[in-house]
Amino acid sequence: MSPELKILTINAAILLVAYLGIYPSQRPRRVAEMIPTDIVLSALALGVAGLLFWGSGVRFSLIFVEVNWFWFSLVTITAMEIPLLLWFMRRYDVPIE
């Protein structure tokens, strides 16, 4: 498995647990209540990526630029989360507030 695919798999697994398990069970559902959980889960994704690639010198491709594990993980989890957040907010009528 390529390094990029490892990080994408980690990010996808964390986001699926968040948006199919954790966030639907939170009451009340508001973005303000989701933010602390999201910070912890994003830190978890970065931590796992760091454990795998810190100090390895592996470069990751973000189409037009090569970056280290930290930036690849941060950019990809953000890009993956935006559509999930929008879907979740529509599905559960979560106000932006």
Side-chain angles (χ1 to χ4, degrees):
M1 186 182 297
S2 72
E4 286 94 352
L5 190 54
K6 284 182 184 178
I7 289 182
L8 291 173
T9 302
I10 292 164
N11 290 350
I14 289 171
L15 290 173
L16 286 175
V17 168
Y19 282 94
L20 297 178
I22 296 171
Y23 295 145
S25 66
Q26 284 183 334
R27 299 281 191 263
R29 288 190 192 111
R30 291 193 310 251
V31 173
E33 275 76 30
M34 294 171 67
I35 290 172
T37 304
D38 191 61
I39 290 170
V40 169
L41 293 174
S42 296
L44 176 65
L46 290 170
V48 172
L51 287 173
L52 291 173
F53 298 107
W54 189 318
S56 68
V58 176
R59 303 299 290 174
F60 296 85
S61 176
L62 279 176
I63 302 175
F64 298 114
V65 65
E66 288 197 358
V67 295
N68 65 10
W69 63 268
F70 176 84
W71 292 109
F72 183 83
S73 185
L74 186 63
V75 169
T76 57
I77 198 164
T78 302
M80 293 166 76
E81 186 169 12
I82 290 170
L84 284 173
L85 176 63
L86 295 174
W87 166 80
F88 184 84
M89 290 176 71
R90 279 192 303 267
R91 168 82 167 84
Y92 292 100
D93 295 321
V94 177
I96 293 175
E97 291 181 29

